[in-house]
């Protein structure tokens, strides 16, 4: 599991990092001392778990969770704080767990065990992640498959007739069907450049050229696509995604 630690005290980051080193399946891949820096660390990286302090110099940890969820990041958040009055509000903000400072080793172990159990429940997501953030394996029939670069994908679209997602890829004449076990959460988790614009469509933001009359228009080689509609529900999120660049 890849871990991000967000805490305004560098000494606290180093202490927690040292405690986590004893777990072979956990790697602290990033840290930040402000909320803004922590959110930036999530861009273009795959983080499974965030250990998040509540009191940060720019935003509080609970606001951090809200902003993170708006950008479709689904990683689990463990709030850790010296003030247990934040516990109830943390869970209302969909935190995975709460760890009180100073960190007790036995309490940390309980949380790690819970995280492991959750990971075991997500074999499909783990399979996607192991392929690497820049590649996706897609089957073209029952036995044949292609490994495609993420940068060659423009749209994931849900086909209600077959009840599964399809992917539109450069160089393919028609959309390629994905396994029925793959859902939108897994697709959005692959890379931060994928943004949902409709209940049925997830686009590669890097190819978006304009939105006219709520229709997405893309750069070549996808400039012939004219059916991807931005719904009212997702329009605000799309604009927010643009404003974070």
């Amino acid at each position: 599991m890849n871990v991000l630690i967000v805490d305004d005290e560098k000494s606290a980051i180093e202490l927690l990092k040292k405690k986590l080193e004893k777990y072979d399946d956990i790697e602290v891949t990033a840290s930040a001392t402000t909320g803004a820096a922590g959110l930036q660390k999530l861009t273009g990286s795959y983080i499974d778990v965030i250990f998040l302090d509540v009191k940060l110099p720019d935003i509080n940890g609970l606001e951090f969770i809200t902003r993170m969820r708006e950008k479709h990041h689904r990683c689990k958040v463990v709030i850790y704080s010296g003030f247990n009055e934040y516990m109830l509000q943390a869970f209302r903000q969909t935190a995975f767990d709460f760890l009180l400072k100073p960190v007790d080793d036995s309490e940390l172990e309980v949380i790690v065990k819970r995280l492991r159990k959750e990971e075991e429940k997500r074999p499909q997501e783990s399979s996607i992640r192991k392929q690497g953030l820049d590649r996706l394996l897609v089957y073209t029939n029952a036995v044949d498959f292609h490994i495609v670069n993420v940068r060659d994908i423009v749209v994931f679209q849900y086909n209600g007739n077959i009840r599964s997602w399809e992917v539109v890829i450069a160089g393919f004449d028609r959309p390629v069907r994905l396994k029925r076990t793959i859902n939108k959460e897994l697709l959005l988790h692959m890379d931060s450049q994928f943004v949902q614009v409709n209940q049925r469509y997830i686009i590669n933001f890097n190819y978006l050229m304009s939105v006219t009359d709520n229709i997405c228009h893309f750069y070549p080689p996808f400039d012939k696509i004219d059916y991807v509609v931005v719904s009212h529900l997702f329009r605000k999120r799309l604009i927010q995604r643009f404003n974070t660049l």
Side-chain angles (χ1 to χ4, degrees):
M1 289 178 281
N2 294 330
V3 168
L4 166 66
I5 301 175
V6 183
D7 193 318
D8 62 337
E9 296 182 9
K10 291 184 179 180
S11 59
I13 291 176
E14 292 303 317
L15 179 60
L16 180 57
K17 184 177 180 180
K18 187 174 181 180
K19 288 179 179 293
L20 291 171
E21 284 177 352
K22 72 175 185 178
Y23 300 103
D24 294 336
D25 56 343
I26 291 180
E27 181 180 1
V28 178
T29 57
S31 63
T33 55
T34 66
L39 291 170
Q40 184 63 37
K41 295 286 185 180
L42 290 173
T43 303
S45 301
Y46 193 97
I47 300 295
D48 297 289
V49 184
I50 302 175
F51 283 85
L52 178 66
D53 190 14
V54 172
K55 291 192 172 182
L56 298 170
D58 50 350
I59 61 175
N60 66 53
L62 302 176
E63 184 180 352
F64 180 100
I65 297 177
T66 300
R67 293 190 187 184
M68 180 189 73
R69 299 300 185 207
E70 288 175 351
K71 297 179 180 178
H72 309 294
H73 293 293
R74 306 297 178 184
C75 49
K76 291 178 173 56
V77 177
V78 177
I79 292 288
Y80 82 117
S81 171
F83 306 93
N84 58 15
E85 65 263 28
Y86 292 104
M87 183 181 297
L88 179 59
Q89 193 174 358
F91 284 115
R92 284 175 176 168
Q93 293 288 96
T94 66
F96 177 77
D97 214 324
F98 187 95
L99 185 63
L100 193 62
K101 290 182 180 180
V103 176
D104 180 86
D105 290 346
S106 60
E107 289 297 318
L108 180 60
E109 186 169 354
V110 170
I111 291 174
V112 170
K113 287 180 178 179
R114 287 194 64 219
L115 289 167
R116 286 170 173 166
K117 287 183 179 179
E118 288 298 311
E119 282 293 301
E120 291 173 358
K121 294 178 183 178
R122 302 189 302 174
Q124 293 91 0
E125 185 170 335
S126 297
S127 176
I128 284 180
R129 192 164 71 243
K130 287 175 182 177
Q131 293 174 33
L133 292 176
D134 59 342
R135 291 175 294 164
L136 176 66
L137 185 148
V138 295
Y139 286 87
T140 51
N141 55 45
V143 294
D144 297 331
F145 61 87
H146 283 270
I147 298 175
V148 300
N149 287 318
V150 167
R151 64 175 178 268
D152 293 330
I153 296 171
V154 66
V155 175
F156 293 107
Q157 55 193 36
Y158 186 77
N159 187 327
N161 294 326
I162 60 175
R163 298 174 60 188
S164 67
W165 285 87
E166 300 173 331
V167 56
V168 179
I169 312 168
F172 286 74
D173 295 333
R174 59 180 63 88
V176 178
R177 182 189 305 185
L178 298 178
K179 289 184 177 180
R180 190 169 291 182
T181 53
I182 294 178
N183 56 37
K184 68 177 182 180
E185 283 75 21
L186 301 186
L187 299 176
L188 290 169
H189 235 140
M190 282 185 58
D191 196 284
S192 60
Q193 68 198 46
F194 293 125
V195 180
Q196 189 168 10
V197 296
N198 188 295
Q199 291 290 356
R200 295 180 55 231
Y201 297 112
I202 296 171
I203 69 168
N204 184 334
F205 189 82
N206 291 338
Y207 278 105
L208 182 63
M209 181 172 62
S210 65
V211 176
T212 305
D213 296 327
N214 290 327
I215 300 294
C216 291
H217 299 278
F218 302 97
Y219 289 104
F222 304 111
D223 49 315
K224 302 300 182 183
I225 296 175
D226 60 359
Y227 54 82
V228 178
V229 178
V230 180
S231 71
H232 177 74
L233 177 64
F234 292 96
R235 183 179 177 87
K236 182 179 178 180
R237 298 181 189 178
L238 181 63
I239 294 173
Q240 287 176 337
R241 174 68 179 85
F242 178 80
N243 290 335
T244 61
L245 296 178

